[in-house]
């Protein structure tokens, strides 16, 4: 449950309880104001005191007596009418004879009072108890209101504060955990660690998932950067060495224009190779680690492949003929930039490793709801042993090594793109007879 919902539910509950209490309060006070009659209270209080009067060893005991309570004033007299203990409202002293058990009224100024006498006979002596109360007294009601207010309100207040505090603490505790975990991940350089918050309010779980996604992206970017740096430094070493050696050679040789042009040609060749390598490496790394976005769209792949073949210009045609057999209206979900790279890389290889004056056959066929792209050549072929290696980064068959136009990244890119589309890439080849590359797009 979300923290927002918890807090709202709690305070709604508290308000409902408060409303219910106010209702009960009103009902209690209402019924009390109907039943609360000062005369009844006066008689009850006098009789209560009569039951509490004690005479011990010739002494009057008044420890348990209530001379003044809830608006009722009681006075205690001996048989001679001498006041022993008592209380009365200021200026009120009824000059009336004792008459036990009779409720009487008398006026004191503007105010009317009830008066009630009781006699307690204690064998050795007797005690008169005289109680009086104002006929309009509301002390009983006030007493009830006071009791209700002083007990219920503090309880409700404590409950509201305590409950609210506990909910707020529960809601924000995962935040502390997230901060601690995030700190330890960033401090410890452990980008593989994740928060994985399973308990707590839904907002915190969402926050934790967002953090985890961010850490995953960070980890991928970091890994991509590291791999790119290591691959680039490794693969650029050879062309850089060649460039430096060529510069050195040019400087030491007799400086004819032709010598310089030859050296510049070598340097230019290496520069192009480096540029292609860096570009391919960058796209491959970005795709592998998901650091670049490649939106997919469902479209006519036949037209697209046709146009890719039309636009493709081989580095060296070597008398090779390209034949295409493209089924019409084959639809598939693909990314155009990546798909054009697949066609280009396969055609480039087919021309490069095809035999002089040979053939290349490119076909596109519908397969289920997807497509199968096939590029076949009748070139040098690939040995069975090498077929498992050709998809690896930078791998080049011995025969191809030294061919400075290649980077060893073309096929790993094809495989990566096919898998990015949810498909696969495979090869069927025989040494000396030719190769068939098959790319499946589901
Ligand atoms: P390269 O830049 O070297 O062509 P690729 O990844 O495209 O890198 O290919 C890897 C290796 O696979 C090549 O060096 C080559 O030995 C082999 N290869 C690729 N395509 C073919 C093909 N059509 N015929 C024969 N061998 C091929």
């Amino acid at each position: 449950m979300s923290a927002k919902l918890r807090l709202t539910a709690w305070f709604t509950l508290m308000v409902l309880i408060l409303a219910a209490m106010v209702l009960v309060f009103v009902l209690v006070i209402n019924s009390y104001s109907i039943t609360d009659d000062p005369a009844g209270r006066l008689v009850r209080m006098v009789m209560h005191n009569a039951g509490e009067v004690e005479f011990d060893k010739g002494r009057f005991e008044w420890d348990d007596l209530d001379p003044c309570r809830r608006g009722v004033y009681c006075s205690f007299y001996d048989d001679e009418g001498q006041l022993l203990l008592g209380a009365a409202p200021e200026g009120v002293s009824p000059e009336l004879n004792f008459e036990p058990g009779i409720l009487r009224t008398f006026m004191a100024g503007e105010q009317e009072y009830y008066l009630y006498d009781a006699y307690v006979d204690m064998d050795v002596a007797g005690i008169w108890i005289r109680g009086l109360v104002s006929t309009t007294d509301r002390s009983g009601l006030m007493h009830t209101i006071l009791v209700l207010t002083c007990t219920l309100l503090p309880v409700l207040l404590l409950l509201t504060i305590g409950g609210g505090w506990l909910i707020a603490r529960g809601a924000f505790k995962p935040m502390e955990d997230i901060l601690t975990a995030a700190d330890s991940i960033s401090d410890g350089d452990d980008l593989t660690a994740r928060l994985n918050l399973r308990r707590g309010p839904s907002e915190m779980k969402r926050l934790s998932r967002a953090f985890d996604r961010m850490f995953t992206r960070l980890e991928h970017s970091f890994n991509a950067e590291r791999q790119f740096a290591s691959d680039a430094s490794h693969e650029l070493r050879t062309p850089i060495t060649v460039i430096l050696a060529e510069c050195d050679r040019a400087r030491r040789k007799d400086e004819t224009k032709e010598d310089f042009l030859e050296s510049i040609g070598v340097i230019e060749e290496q520069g192009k190779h480096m540029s292609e390598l860096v570009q391919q490496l960058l796209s491959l790394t970005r795709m592998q680690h998901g650091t670049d976005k490649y939106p997919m769209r469902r479209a006519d792949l036949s037209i697209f492949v046709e146009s890719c073949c039309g636009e493709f210009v081989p580095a060296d045609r070597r008398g090779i003929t390209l034949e295409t057999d493209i089924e019409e209206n084959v639809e598939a979900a693909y990314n155009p930039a990546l798909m054009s790279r697949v066609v280009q890389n396969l055609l480039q290889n087919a021309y490069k490793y095809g035999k002089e004056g040979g053939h290349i056959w490119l076909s596109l066929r519908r397969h289920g709801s997807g497509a199968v792209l096939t590029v076949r050549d009748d070139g040098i072929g690939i040995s069975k042993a090498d077929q498992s290696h050709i998809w690896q980064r930078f791998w080049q068959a011995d025969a191809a090594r030294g061919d400075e136009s290649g980077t060893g990244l073309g096929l790993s890119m094809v495989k990566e793109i096919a898998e990015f589309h949810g498909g696969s890439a495979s090869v069927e080849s025989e040494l000396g007879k030719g190769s068939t590359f098959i790319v499946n797009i589901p």
Side-chain angles (χ1 to χ4, degrees):
M1 201 201 276
S2 77
K4 265 185 288 183
L5 208 69
R6 277 185 212 185
L7 277 172
T8 312
W10 175 254
F11 286 109
T12 309
L13 182 73
M14 286 298 113
V15 168
L16 283 177
I17 292 177
L18 190 68
M21 268 177 58
V22 168
L23 195 71
V24 170
F25 215 72
V26 168
L27 289 176
V28 167
I29 287 165
N30 192 35
S31 72
Y32 207 91
S33 64
I34 294 165
T35 55
D36 179 39
D37 96 85
R41 209 162 358 112
L42 170 69
V43 174
R44 276 198 303 278
M45 194 63 74
V46 169
M47 293 322 288
H48 165 78
N49 279 333
E52 296 291 329
V53 168
E54 279 176 21
F55 214 72
D56 191 20
K57 293 175 195 146
R59 280 180 53 121
F60 176 51
E61 297 269 325
W62 56 63
D63 290 350
D64 298 328
L65 299 179
D66 277 325
C68 175
R69 195 166 157 229
R70 297 173 67 185
V72 177
Y73 297 87
C74 286
S75 303
F76 302 83
Y77 301 88
D78 63 11
D79 283 328
E80 274 79 47
Q82 286 297 311
L83 179 68
L84 301 171
L85 167 79
E90 216 175 322
V92 179
S93 55
E95 302 295 329
L96 293 167
N97 290 334
F98 288 112
E99 281 191 40
I102 295 171
L103 186 69
R104 290 173 285 171
T105 55
F106 69 94
M107 293 297 292
E110 297 282 289
Q111 183 64 54
E112 190 183 27
Y113 284 88
Y114 285 122
L115 183 134
Y116 188 78
D117 294 332
Y119 183 71
V120 186
D121 189 357
M122 304 208 172
D123 300 337
V124 279
I127 296 282
W128 281 102
I129 305 170
R130 166 161 287 183
L132 51 98
V133 67
S134 156
T135 52
T136 55
D137 183 75
R138 285 282 170 267
S139 303
L141 188 62
M142 285 314 293
H143 175 78
T144 311
I145 292 173
L146 219 64
V147 167
L148 283 176
T149 313
C150 291
T151 51
L152 291 180
L153 277 188
V155 168
L156 189 72
L157 198 69
L158 282 179
L159 209 66
T160 311
I161 294 173
W165 187 80
L166 281 179
I167 293 175
R169 195 184 66 153
F172 285 101
K173 194 182 167 300
M175 179 78 107
E176 297 286 324
D177 296 345
I178 289 175
L179 286 177
T180 316
D183 272 350
S184 73
I185 288 170
S186 52
D187 286 352
D189 277 344
D190 181 10
L191 288 172
T192 56
R194 296 290 177 270
L195 302 172
N196 278 331
L197 191 73
R198 304 224 177 280
R199 294 175 58 198
S202 54
E203 295 96 334
M204 293 298 158
K205 283 195 214 149
R206 269 180 26 226
L207 185 69
S208 141
R209 280 200 294 272
F211 263 93
D212 280 347
R213 278 197 301 276
M214 188 182 77
F215 287 135
T216 305
R217 271 194 79 73
L218 264 180
E219 187 193 354
H220 283 170
S221 305
F222 183 73
N223 286 345
E225 195 182 298
R226 195 162 46 185
Q227 187 165 28
F228 177 79
S230 119
D231 285 346
S233 63
H234 184 261
E235 294 303 315
L236 292 178
R237 213 175 295 158
T238 314
I240 289 173
T241 312
V242 174
I243 289 175
L244 291 177
E246 197 56 42
C247 292
D248 195 41
R249 196 171 71 95
R251 205 176 291 124
R252 279 192 281 111
K253 261 178 38 175
D254 290 338
E255 294 129 5
T256 64
K257 192 179 171 196
E258 284 69 33
D259 288 339
F260 276 122
L261 283 177
E262 191 191 326
S263 294
I264 285 169
V266 172
I267 290 170
E268 189 181 14
E269 190 73 21
Q270 291 301 324
K272 277 186 192 158
H273 178 67
M274 280 163 72
S275 153
E276 194 190 344
L277 192 122
V278 169
Q279 198 203 336
Q280 287 207 28
L281 192 57
L282 205 58
S283 356
L284 185 64
T285 313
R286 280 176 177 168
M287 196 167 55
Q288 267 180 340
H289 294 276
T291 44
D292 262 10
K293 295 255 173 288
Y294 294 102
M296 307 278 254
R297 57 155 206 209
R298 196 165 177 88
D300 192 323
L301 189 59
S302 309
I303 298 176
F304 184 75
V305 171
E306 187 94 58
S307 72
C308 286
C309 292
E311 283 164 17
F312 182 75
V313 183
D316 184 359
R317 204 171 282 279
R318 297 163 60 225
I320 296 172
T321 319
L322 170 65
E323 286 179 27
T324 56
D325 174 16
I326 296 172
E327 191 177 326
E328 280 188 4
N329 306 323
V330 177
E331 280 217 347
Y334 63 95
N335 175 277
L338 296 180
M339 197 47 73
S340 106
R341 200 153 219 149
V342 168
V343 178
Q344 269 182 32
N345 284 3
L346 291 179
L347 285 180
Q348 213 163 10
N349 281 351
Y351 275 104
K352 204 166 22 166
Y353 305 110
K355 77 165 183 243
E356 198 115 17
H359 281 84
I360 297 173
W361 296 271
L362 181 145
S363 83
L364 181 75
R365 290 262 167 278
R366 185 174 286 107
H367 183 74
S369 61
V372 182
L373 173 77
T374 312
V375 178
R376 183 158 73 90
D377 63 65
D378 51 2
I380 61 168
I382 310 162
S383 72
K384 279 271 171 286
D386 287 350
Q387 280 174 33
S388 55
H389 300 298
I390 54 169
W391 309 104
Q392 292 166 13
R393 281 168 162 234
F394 303 114
W395 190 90
Q396 293 178 301
D398 284 342
R401 286 217 181 267
D403 174 1
E404 280 148 23
S405 64
T407 58
L409 288 173
L411 287 182
S412 33
M413 191 113 183
V414 169
K415 190 167 167 53
E416 201 64 46
I417 294 173
E419 284 170 2
F420 181 81
H421 284 79
S424 61
S426 58
V427 66
E428 288 166 10
S429 181
E430 206 176 316
L431 208 57
K433 290 202 172 157
S435 316
T436 309
F437 286 88
I438 305 148
V439 177
N440 244 297
I441 306 293

